[in-house]
């Protein structure tokens, strides 16, 4: 069965410092991995994805993610955090057999000035 | 360019009442999904559809029914609302293709008293 784990409920970082939000996955077959961001009272917005190819993928708002097949991880990163990056972040994996997406429980990112 | 539109945005029901949540997308996407979001639990799939006239159960389908009579619309029904169904409901759509992310509406906040 497909599953996604986000081991941290909350990540705190100072503005200007690098940030990492962790995600590990379990899939049968090739992983199709996604990161989404959710701002208060809004729906999820797509940030970036890994389908195949380069292990470092770049997305919106300066975010990037590193795919590591041996560690089954897909961590979200940003070199320099902004206060406006404070939001809820979700990792997801797509099950191509049933056209479903499985989401992690979410990580709240707090960036302090 | 509306994307995914959910109506209503807020609703308060009494236990035992029924209601229908409407999701409309204008992107000609084949797949549509209904999720509920509860604190600390991420997004849980209720029902989904891979095309007009088709529906399938997700992770937490009990107490809900769906219909997809038109490609652009996906309706979620609660026949007899229960307090446990108090949640934020999100609709999403996606095109076919393994690399395609989901597009989300802004949610319906539903309280059952």
């Amino acid at each position: 069965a497909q599953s996604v784990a986000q081991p941290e409920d909350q990540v705190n970082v100072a503005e200007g410092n690098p940030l990492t939000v962790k995600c590990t996955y379990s899939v049968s077959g090739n992983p199709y991995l996604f990161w989404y961001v959710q701002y208060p009272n809004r729906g999820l917005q797509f940030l970036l994805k890994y389908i195949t190819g380069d292990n470092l993928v770049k997305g919106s708002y300066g975010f990037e993610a590193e795919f590591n097949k041996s560690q089954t991880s897909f961590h979200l990163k940003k070199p320099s955090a902004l206060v406006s990056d404070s939001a809820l972040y979700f990792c997801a994996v797509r099950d191509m057999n049933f056209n479903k997406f499985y989401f992690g429980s979410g990580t709240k990112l707090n960036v302090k000035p | 360019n509306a994307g995914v539109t959910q109506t209503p945005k807020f609703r308060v029901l009494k236990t035992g009442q029924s209601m229908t949540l409407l999701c409309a997308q204008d992107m000609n996407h084949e797949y549509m999904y209904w999720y509920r979001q509860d604190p600390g639990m991420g997004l849980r799939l209720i029902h989904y559809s891979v095309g007009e006239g088709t529906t399938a159960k997700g992770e937490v389908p009990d107490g809900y029914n769906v219909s997809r009579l038109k490609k652009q619309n996906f309706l979620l029904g609660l026949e007899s609302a229960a307090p446990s169904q108090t949640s934020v409901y999100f609709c999403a759509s996606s095109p076919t293709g393994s690399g395609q992310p989901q597009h989300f509406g802004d949610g319906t906040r539903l309280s059952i008293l």
Side-chain angles (χ1 to χ4, degrees), chain B residues 59-74:
Chain B
E59 185 184 356
V60 288
D62 294 343
Y64 306 94
N65 56 73
V66 288
S67 64
R68 188 147 179 226
L69 300 179
K70 295 183 179 180
K71 185 177 183 179
Q72 63 268 34
N73 295 336
F74 196 29

Side-chain angles (χ1 to χ4, degrees), chain A:
Chain A
Q2 329 288 5
S3 65
V4 175
Q6 293 181 242
E8 301 157 318
D9 291 336
Q10 185 167 303
V11 170
N12 299 312
V13 64
E15 189 174 30
N17 283 359
L19 70 88
T20 299
V21 182
K22 296 180 180 178
C23 172
T24 60
Y25 65 90
S26 174
V27 300
S28 54
N30 293 325
Y32 298 93
L33 299 160
F34 301 82
W35 274 102
Y36 294 84
V37 60
Q38 185 182 31
Y39 298 101
N41 301 314
R42 299 298 304 275
L44 278 68
Q45 299 176 31
F46 168 69
L47 274 181
L48 51 80
K49 65 184 179 184
Y50 173 83
I51 305 301
T52 187
D54 202 352
N55 289 344
L56 185 65
V57 294
K58 296 186 182 297
S60 306
Y61 312 119
F63 283 94
E64 56 191 27
E66 187 171 10
F67 171 69
N68 188 317
K69 188 173 183 178
S70 62
Q71 296 185 3
T72 61
S73 66
F74 188 54
H75 300 332
L76 180 70
K77 299 181 178 183
K78 189 173 182 181
S80 178
L82 299 172
V83 172
S84 57
D85 293 331
S86 298
L88 189 57
Y89 290 81
F90 289 96
C91 182
V93 62
R94 183 167 187 167
D95 179 347
M96 292 308 301
N97 292 325
F98 299 99
N99 296 306
K100 294 192 290 186
F101 291 76
Y102 294 87
F103 287 83
S105 55
T107 298
K108 185 177 181 182
L109 175 65
N110 295 315
V111 182
K112 298 182 178 180

Side-chain angles (χ1 to χ4, degrees), chain B residues 21-49:
Chain B
L21 281 63
L22 172 63
C23 176
Q25 53 97 2
D26 61 2
M27 298 169 283
N28 201 37
H29 287 171
E30 286 295 329
Y31 305 148
M32 297 188 74
Y33 308 80
W34 275 108
Y35 295 91
R36 59 178 290 172
Q37 183 179 26
D38 301 292
M41 301 188 73
L43 274 72
R44 291 184 292 170
L45 182 64
I46 304 172
H47 287 280
Y48 65 106
S49 167

